Each structure stands twice: as structure tokens, then as C-alpha cells.
Amino acid sequence: MTRLTDLWQIGVDAVGGDTSVRQSLRAHPITPPDRIIAVGKAATAMARAAASLFPDAPMLIVTKDGHADGAPAHARVIEAAHPVPNAASLKAGAVMLEAVQDCGPGTHLLMLVSGGASALAEVLEDDLTLDDLAQRTQAKLASGADIHQINAMRRGLSRIKGGKLLEAFRGAKVTTLAISDVEGDSLGVIGSGIGDAPEGRAFAHDARIVASNAIARAAIAQAAQADVRSNAETLYEDVATLAPRIAAELKAAPDGLHVLGGEPTVILPENPGLGGRNMMLALRLAREIAGVDDLQILVAGTDGSDGPTDAAGAIVDGKTWDSSGQAAIESAAPYDWLAARGALLKPGPTGTNVMDLLIARKG
């Protein structure tokens, strides 16, 4: 019987930035680009694939702190903060805009976009400061807003989101390859539309989604084969609502494997502790399935990180919970509580980002 962690890894590997970009470019060849810009949590892996096919193209990589290992030697790399932007995010945005502006007539730009780009690169409207952006971002995150609401806010404050970056492009063609971390896989939402093209553009634009949550879940289902009883993308509510519903459904479900995807939300108290949405969902699920002997649940972000931590999520079962967990729920501090029980999953950066996976085995 395949372990839940191994199944999770199979799903993640199926949507890896290197694999996804390489497969897409082989299936749909493009003319060699004159410049490559990769932005997002999976930027390094995506850029590595592109560099193997187009080694002579100048390359800029903008990614999350600690996610640059394995970057092509000739690439310029800028690391910035996520999920709340920092000064490096403004530097990255300015460098990206300059790179696009430098593309002259007849040029071909390859954009590689993945989740996290919204925080990692920014050029603000003139009347805004970094503190303004950080405060508004933090408030949205704490409110339980989903990614669509957060990115709509970001587009309104930005000079490079929502197709605005490519307004500065004066070349002939842009090819955008994107790894989706949003419901519906819309290029206008991924990275707040940083790789989207403006209306009325004068250049050709070819855009493709090369990896998604559905692809990851399909890989898990294929690996598990007859054991799979359900496979759905339904993790789009607050964790306080999701946990009791999912637990009830699993308790009533037939034995086997159940795979869910999406991106839950969480409403934070004024001074939250350490953790992220996956750990909060796992902690609440542990409470809901306490005493159930035949149920194990993994909840983890496919990018390898959950909130500002080194864990992607957690694995819980009927023996994980005890009453001390209630304080961790109320203070939104799941990390230490789950760590003390050996429940955390720490794979490190994965080179992709297609939202979150919940894998449960009953029986």
C-alpha cells in the first residue's frame, strides 16, 4: 500500500515546473525566444527547462527567498518575500519592467509564470508606498479572503499586474506558460495577471496552462488506481467550515482513497501564531476524527510551504488530537502543536505551485 506522503509526491512531481515546461515546449514547439522572464515560486524549475532548450536567451528569474537553488548559471536571479511583499519585491518589479521595455521590434519574449508572483514582483502606483502594500496585503490575508479577492486588490494597486506589464512590450510575440494556483486556471488571476496580455495589444500572444491541481490529482488517482473512491477540487471554503464537513463525508465514505484539491481560507485572530491554512485545516480535522481508528489524512501545499513556515502541511489520524489542541486552534498556532506530535510534512521547495492537496485513506 502506497503511503500518503508518496502519493502526494507523485502528484507534485506530475506538475513540477521543469517537467511541465519541458513537456509543453516539446508538444508545442516555439521559435527561440530573445528573452526569458520567469516569476513565481516555481520560477527556477520552469526556467531550468527553458534554458535547456534555449541556452542562449538572456534570462531573469524572480522567485521566493530560498527557492533559487538550481537556477541556470547565466540567469539573473532576484529573491523576494512571500506572501507579504518586501523591498526586494519592488526591485524585482522594476527589473522585470525594464526587461520587457528592452525588448525591441521583432523580438519574442517567453514568460514563465507561477503562483506567488503577485507578492514577489511589484511596481506600485505613484501614490502608494511599500508599507501601504504590505499593510493591505496582510489585512486581506488575515480576513480570510480567497486568492481571487486578494489578487483583485493587488491588480488595483499595481503598474505591472492585470496585463499592465506587457503593455510595455514593443516586440512581435509573447509566449506565456503558466502553472495555475487558482480555481478556474485563469491567466488573468495567476500572479494577478502578470503574464496576461492587455486588450488591444499590437503583438501576438500565445498562452498555455502547463500544470494545474487537476493534473496533480489525476496523477495520484492513476498511481492509486482501484483504491480511489473520490477525486474533486472542493477545498475553497474557510477551514472552520471545511473540517467538519470533510470529516463527516469521510466517516460516511467507503474504504479507500479520497483526493481533494483547492485552496482553503482561514480567518486569523489579531496576533496569530505560527502556521498556515493547511496546518490549520489538518489541526481541525484531527479534532473531528479523534478516536476514529481507520482514517489518516494528509493536507499540504504543493509548493512545499504553508504560510511563513518550513512545512507544507501535516498528516493526522484518530490518535493525533488531544484537548491542548483547542488553544492552538483559537490562537491560530498549529505549527508547534503539530510539530510536537511529529505530524508536520517538510518536503522543502518543490518547484511547483498548484494550490493544495488533501489525501485521505480510510480503512
Side-chain angles (χ1 to χ4, degrees), residues 314-333:
I315 306 172
V316 298
D317 58 27
K319 298 178 181 178
T320 305
W321 178 259
D322 65 59
S323 58
S324 65
Q326 188 60 35
I329 289 176
E330 292 173 0
S331 60

Side-chain angles (χ1 to χ4, degrees), residues 5 8 279 300 304-305 309-315 335 339 343-349:
T5 50
W8 180 85
M279 283 177 265
S305 60
T309 77
D310 60 352
I315 306 172
Y335 183 96
L344 292 178
L345 177 64
K346 295 184 177 183

Side-chain angles (χ1 to χ4, degrees), residues 10-25:
I10 287 169
V12 167
D13 289 344
V15 292
D18 194 323
T19 299
S20 301
V21 169
R22 197 181 302 274
Q23 288 178 344
S24 177
L25 290 174

Side-chain angles (χ1 to χ4, degrees), residues 180-215:
S180 174
D181 69 331
V182 300
E183 182 180 10
D185 301 334
S186 170
L187 187 62
V189 181
I190 300 167
S192 300
I194 202 168
D196 204 2
E199 294 183 9
R201 60 186 177 271
F203 56 87
H205 186 225
D206 178 22
R208 297 196 293 273
I209 303 298
V210 299
S212 66
N213 191 270
I215 294 173

Side-chain angles (χ1 to χ4, degrees), residues 158-250:
S158 175
R159 290 171 52 200
I160 61 171
K161 307 292 172 57
K164 298 174 188 176
L165 175 66
L166 294 184
E167 285 182 351
F169 182 69
R170 298 294 178 261
K173 182 177 181 179
V174 176
T175 300
T176 301
L177 305 183
I179 292 178
S180 174
D181 69 331
V182 300
E183 182 180 10
D185 301 334
S186 170
L187 187 62
V189 181
I190 300 167
S192 300
I194 202 168
D196 204 2
E199 294 183 9
R201 60 186 177 271
F203 56 87
H205 186 225
D206 178 22
R208 297 196 293 273
I209 303 298
V210 299
S212 66
N213 191 270
I215 294 173
R217 287 183 288 108
I220 294 170
Q222 182 177 13
Q225 296 182 350
D227 287 339
V228 177
R229 297 291 178 265
S230 63
N231 181 355
E233 190 173 315
T234 55
L235 297 178
Y236 290 114
E237 295 178 274
D238 185 86
V239 295
T241 301
L242 281 173
R245 191 189 78 206
I246 291 171
E249 291 173 352
L250 289 174

